[in-house]
Amino acid sequence: MELLTIGAFARASRLSPKALRLYDELELLRPARVDPATGYRYYAVRQLEQARLVAWLRRLGMPLAGIRTVCALDTEGAAREIRAYWARVEAETAVRRDLAAFLVDQLTGESRRDHTTMLELRYSAHSDRGHVRPANQDTVYAGRRLLAVADGCGPAGASASGAAVEALKFLDSGEELAAGSVLNVLEDAVREANEAVQELAGGGEETGTTLTALLWTGSKLALVHIGDSRAYLLRDGELFRITHDHSVVQSLIDEGRLTPEEASSHPQRALLLKALGIGTAPVADLRLHEARVGDRYLLCSDGLTGVVADERIKELLGGEDAVHALIDEANAAGGPDNVSCVVADVVPSARPPVSVG
């Protein structure tokens, strides 16, 4: 077995001797031999491939615990783990990018410079039991500022979804919230919604609900999302999904273990990783979206997305009476679940312009 000194191995692997000593201590990259008298480390040439992998993963920013996991896997498993890690990085980066844009906007006052064109929402909402379920456990709400869809599960699912939406309804009245404080207000409201849903379960069978809501600030829409209900944006003829499912099958898609086509028939497609009322206090997704005249937003439960493809949703969402068209399409596909939709258009306001925030 050909051995290299730690210095030669460091040069070949592009890892510093200091890093190699640290990885030895962490049992991440152990030397092939340690001189018992001097303690000097020697590495085998065949270890260069693993050392280079460690170096590349460090450049990606992967934590040491993650690198240890990758190095313990076979080639296929390591590739899946790296793909899953990068999917998480991209999702986190997108959230930070939106937050950075929001902070720049707030500090420069861009959103407050032009008050000549005020915007408002024109909305429609409906919920349907479908053809299979004995009861409707969905709750929908649409008001001048608040749009919400919740999909309950468990023996008190209907009450859970109702309680989650009820906890947010106060946001639809009173003074308009400034964009700078709206995410904090939403976070507090979601915490109260979670507590309300947990009280319904009363320590009995597991009861929970998804929640996807948009809150209008006068120039932006604040999104709160947890579970697998969804929000879409139709802008300039293109459909964008602006939420990420917190479900088992979505995590498998993110990791490259499932294709979207395979996920539609996966036996665990209804299992959620996060929902209100289930487990410890869940962390909801919170973000701000800049609104434009002509934007059309859709909030829906998975009773729609489980049976109607995004391309068909795009087609129907662009038409008249989109809410009922979408629900009819889900029921025509068998209506296996409750289906609920809220559709809202961003339109010029008929009210006098005012400065928000």
Side-chain angles (χ1 to χ4, degrees):
M1 179 174 62
E2 184 181 355
L3 295 178
L4 298 174
T5 65
I6 189 171
F9 190 80
R11 289 190 294 273
S13 65
R14 305 198 175 223
L15 288 168
S16 69
K18 181 179 179 181
L20 289 172
R21 286 190 287 270
L22 173 63
Y23 298 156
D24 179 14
E25 293 170 8
L26 296 173
E27 299 184 359
L28 187 61
L29 184 62
R30 304 305 298 268
R33 178 176 174 269
V34 178
D35 189 296
T38 64
Y40 209 71
R41 296 170 173 85
Y42 294 88
Y43 292 82
V45 172
R46 58 180 170 76
Q47 290 182 282
L48 281 172
E49 184 176 348
Q50 183 180 4
R52 287 167 181 152
L53 175 61
V54 171
W56 291 330
L57 293 175
R58 289 297 289 162
R59 290 183 67 182
L60 277 180
M62 182 178 283
L64 292 176
I67 295 175
R68 185 182 292 109
T69 299
V70 170
C71 290
L73 296 170
D74 58 21
T75 303
E76 185 178 343
R80 283 199 305 267
E81 191 66 29
I82 294 169
R83 190 182 297 116
Y85 166 74
W86 195 248
R88 292 193 295 271
V89 169
E90 288 185 324
E92 292 166 2
T93 300
V95 172
R96 292 199 300 271
R97 182 190 62 226
D98 289 349
L99 179 57
F102 163 66
L103 291 173
V104 170
D105 182 53
Q106 290 299 302
L107 291 169
T108 58
E110 289 292 335
S111 64
R112 299 187 295 275
R113 288 179 183 172
D114 184 4
H115 305 297
T116 59
T117 304
M118 287 299 295
L119 306 176
E120 63 183 18
L121 298 178
R122 184 175 59 212
Y123 48 85
S124 177
H126 189 64
S127 183
D128 190 90
R129 180 173 62 86
H131 295 329
V132 176
R133 296 294 176 91
N136 191 350
Q137 293 190 313
D138 288 0
T139 298
V140 297
Y141 180 83
R144 189 165 64 88
R145 296 175 190 160
L146 179 68
L147 313 170
V149 168
D151 180 359
C153 59
S159 298
S161 66
V165 173
E166 190 66 33
L168 268 64
K169 279 187 181 179
F170 77 96
L171 298 169
D172 202 37
S173 58
E175 293 186 3
E176 214 160 64
L177 291 168
S181 62
V182 67
L183 293 183
N184 290 335
V185 173
L186 268 178
E187 188 174 29
D188 291 341
V190 169
R191 189 179 301 112
E192 293 178 10
N194 185 64
E195 292 172 358
V197 174
Q198 286 180 327
E199 287 177 6
L200 287 171
E205 290 186 66
E206 204 165 65
T207 293
T209 182
T210 71
L211 178 65
T212 301
L214 288 169
L215 181 63
W216 181 244
T217 70
S219 60
K220 291 180 174 66
L221 280 162
L223 169 72
V224 59
H225 167 70
I226 187 166
D228 65 352
S229 296
R230 291 182 181 177
Y232 290 87
L233 166 62
L234 185 66
R235 173 178 285 173
D236 298 330
E238 294 297 324
L239 185 69
F240 304 92
R241 176 151 55 116
I242 59 175
T243 53
H244 194 74
D245 293 349
H246 301 136
S247 64
V248 170
V249 295
Q250 184 63 58
S251 69
L252 294 174
I253 292 171
D254 294 342
E255 294 168 8
R257 302 182 190 184
L258 278 183
T259 66
E261 293 73 24
E262 291 169 335
S264 63
S265 58
H266 195 277
Q268 293 183 313
R269 61 187 179 277
L271 293 182
L272 298 178
L273 296 176
K274 291 199 294 186
L276 294 181
I278 296 177
T280 56
V283 178
D285 295 343
L286 292 162
R287 59 198 303 179
L288 282 167
H289 285 268
E290 193 75 38
R292 300 181 191 172
V293 172
D295 283 351
R296 173 168 282 190
Y297 288 86
L298 165 67
L299 275 60
C300 61
S301 61
D302 68 334
L304 174 69
T305 56
V307 293
V308 182
D310 280 6
E311 193 59 35
R312 183 60 174 155
I313 290 176
K314 172 184 171 182
E315 181 181 343
L316 294 172
L317 189 57
E320 295 294 323
D321 196 11
V323 164
H324 289 93
L326 289 163
I327 291 175
D328 289 346
E329 186 78 6
N331 284 332
D337 198 357
N338 311 143
V339 55
S340 301
C341 296
V342 177
V343 172
D345 293 314
V346 179
V347 298
S349 175
R351 293 176 294 161
V354 293
S355 176
V356 178

